[in-house]
Amino acid sequence: MLIQENISLRPFNTMGIEARARYFARFGSVSDLQELLKERIKGASPFILGGGSNILFTGDVNGWVLKNEIGGIDELYEDKNHIYVKVGAGENWQSFVEHCISRNWAGVENLSLIPGNVGATPMQNIGAYGAEIKEVFQELEALHLEDSTIHTFSVNDCEFGYRESVFKRKYKDRFIILSVTYRLNKTPQFNTSYGAIGQELEGMGVKDLSIAAISQAVINIRRSKLPDPAVIGNAGSFFKNPSISSSRNKQLQQRFPGIVGYPGAGDLVKLAAGWLIEQCGWKGVRRGDAGCHAKQALVLVNYGNASGKEIYDLSEDILQSVKQKFGVELEREVNIVV
Ligand code: FAD
Ligand code: EPU
């Protein structure tokens, strides 16, 4: 196995941030990974890299960066309503979505065009357009970093929440996800109620609804709103949409009648962080090569040579101004590394 030293991580993060890894290696199998873990300097936890679309490097990584390239899509078994498919953590997510759509396996079409790899999908329970990965999640296999034992996690074990899982909290940096088994539906339950999907399908002239049509509608909407990382560096939404109590929301509505919020769990209201940020005047603001996207204020961008620190500092100023104006604390969604 090739272990490289002092490697630039710029090609490996969609923010396009320049940072260096002291040691860098790729693994395509569990045995390769176990070999690498024996090699690495004891004590230092390696940083596990997927597609690099949800991270911000704020400095160099002085230890190991291990890129997960475990592949494979295996149909395990099926029952009356479902098909169970085990996918290697290193498979590209959108390729897997296309694989499902071409076979008419339903459940992931609303999650089309989310960048990154399969192994990261449970990390923050990826979500978009009215769907979350937990709805099609069956189980995952992960290797414990301390003793290289392999553990199976059920949906309950993962403690999924909005952009949350046990792997971002209790088990942060403790496991490497090797594979994810998804439970796809043989009969689609179309989900077109979220946002502009219905409108987009109408505009597309769709008469017979299908998962392929929904996927295309989601792709069209995403392309119209979100910057393409191949053109301009970004990691999607930089912050989570914050939840507040409905009484607090009512108070805010009196002061800010245009505030955008959606019913959340229980008594909570989920506010559109993009609206809060826009109201603070950040939308389209550029500081050097760091900026707040002109079409979607929730997305921070790198126009070319911004450092991770510059993006982070911008995010901190945004966070503070939203706190000052609305009394609402934003939480970063992107994983800050180093
Ligand atoms: P990485 O960025 O490589 O890693 C993310 C985190 O997971 C890191 O902490 C890393 O250490 C850890 N990790 C990765 N793989 C493993 C593994 N195998 N085992 C253990 N830890 C691992 N997200 C959404 O939820 N919804 C969206 O709609 C959405 N839209 C986006 C749009 C754009 C344009 C971009 C750039 C990003 C968007 N994202 C969205 C965020 C991102 O695409 C997802 O979070 C994605 O799942 C990250 O996958 P990745 O492989 O790139 O992870
Ligand atoms: N809005 C503004 N100004 C902005 C941006 C948004 O006022 O600059 C308001 C608008 O009222 C808009 C509302 O916010 O209607 C919601 O915006 P949008 O539909 O773009 O969704 P979002 O809440 O900003 C979330 C996810 C996205 C996901 C979309 C679609 C989070 C943190 N973000 O964005 O996920 O794709 O919904 O479901 O939950 C990501 O996680 O990286 C990501 C892109």
Side-chain angles (χ1 to χ4, degrees):
M1 246 165 315
L2 182 65
I3 297 172
Q4 295 170 284
E5 285 190 48
N6 194 25
I7 284 295
S8 168
L9 294 169
R10 194 171 193 151
F12 301 107
N13 72 100
T14 62
M15 265 283 184
I17 299 295
E18 175 54 19
R20 301 192 86 77
R22 178 83 179 88
Y23 301 104
F24 181 91
R26 303 159 190 259
F27 59 93
S29 67
V30 179
S31 52
D32 280 1
L33 170 61
Q34 283 166 333
E35 193 94 336
L36 278 168
L37 291 176
K38 277 187 216 148
E39 285 277 336
R40 91 191 144 98
I41 303 154
K42 278 265 174 249
S45 258
F47 177 74
I48 307 303
L49 186 63
S53 64
N54 206 22
I55 50 176
L56 177 73
F57 290 115
T58 53
D60 293 337
V61 180
N62 284 321
W64 287 76
V65 172
L66 300 181
K67 182 154 166 47
N68 191 331
E69 296 186 341
I70 297 176
I73 300 181
D74 297 315
E75 292 175 45
L76 294 183
Y77 51 94
E78 55 186 287
D79 56 26
K80 191 163 156 257
N81 299 318
H82 301 110
I83 177 143
Y84 298 81
V85 186
K86 181 175 176 175
V87 192
E91 290 286 344
N92 174 264
W93 171 250
Q94 174 61 12
S95 304
F96 175 62
V97 170
E98 288 166 16
H99 181 95
C100 293
I101 288 169
S102 69
R103 285 160 179 77
N104 217 22
W105 299 341
V108 290
E109 56 280 2
N110 290 55
L111 301 172
S112 294
L113 213 66
I114 296 180
N117 294 349
V118 160
T121 60
M123 286 296 297
Q124 68 160 13
N125 177 27
I126 57 163
Y129 294 94
E132 283 184 332
I133 205 66
K134 70 173 184 192
E135 292 149 22
V136 293
F137 177 93
Q138 180 66 16
E139 63 180 34
L140 65 76
E141 281 182 336
L143 182 135
H144 198 291
L145 268 163
E146 301 251 299
D147 57 11
S148 283
T149 50
I150 295 174
H151 299 239
T152 302
F153 288 77
S154 70
V155 70
N156 285 337
D157 297 332
C158 290
E159 298 176 14
F160 288 127
Y162 163 64
R163 299 295 193 273
E164 275 302 341
S165 77
V166 75
F167 302 104
K168 280 183 82 174
R169 301 269 173 198
K170 193 164 68 183
Y171 293 149
K172 190 170 160 48
D173 299 329
R174 305 251 311 262
F175 284 94
I176 301 179
I177 296 168
L178 305 170
S179 69
V180 183
T181 299
Y182 301 101
R183 185 185 61 252
L184 285 322
N185 300 313
K186 289 182 178 175
T187 312
Q189 287 143 13
F190 299 125
N191 177 355
T192 60
S193 54
Y194 188 95
I197 299 185
Q199 208 182 319
E200 183 63 30
L201 287 164
E202 221 176 283
M204 286 160 61
V206 171
K207 297 261 164 7
D208 295 319
L209 199 51
S210 63
I211 56 170
I214 292 176
S215 170
Q216 193 55 54
V218 168
I219 288 173
N220 293 349
I221 300 167
R222 294 182 68 95
R223 286 203 172 125
S224 73
K225 282 193 185 185
L226 292 165
D228 177 356
V231 179
I232 177 164
N234 76 92
S237 300
F238 203 89
F239 302 97
K240 293 183 186 181
N241 285 325
S243 283
I244 59 170
S245 68
S246 60
S247 57
R248 176 87 187 101
N249 187 49
K250 281 196 192 103
Q251 290 168 355
L252 282 174
Q253 273 175 330
Q254 279 168 1
R255 285 179 57 212
F256 307 101
I259 195 163
V260 182
Y262 309 94
D267 172 52
L268 297 176
V269 175
K270 199 187 270 186
L271 298 179
W275 187 88
L276 301 174
I277 295 168
E278 182 173 350
Q279 295 304 306
C280 291
W282 288 104
K283 195 169 184 171
V285 166
R286 179 171 175 166
R287 264 186 357 201
D289 271 356
C292 180
H293 190 50
K295 284 193 196 164
Q296 214 324 347
L298 199 45
V299 178
L300 301 192
V301 294
N302 174 10
Y303 286 101
N305 288 313
S307 67
K309 172 91 171 52
E310 284 167 329
I311 302 273
Y312 186 87
D313 288 349
L314 176 64
S315 77
E316 186 60 28
D317 290 348
I318 290 173
L319 196 150
Q320 291 304 336
S321 72
V322 168
K323 194 171 163 184
Q324 205 165 21
K325 188 171 172 108
F326 298 102
V328 173
E329 186 127 21
L330 294 181
E331 190 187 339
R332 291 177 184 84
E333 192 233 73
V334 167
N335 299 280
I336 309 298
V337 187
V338 182

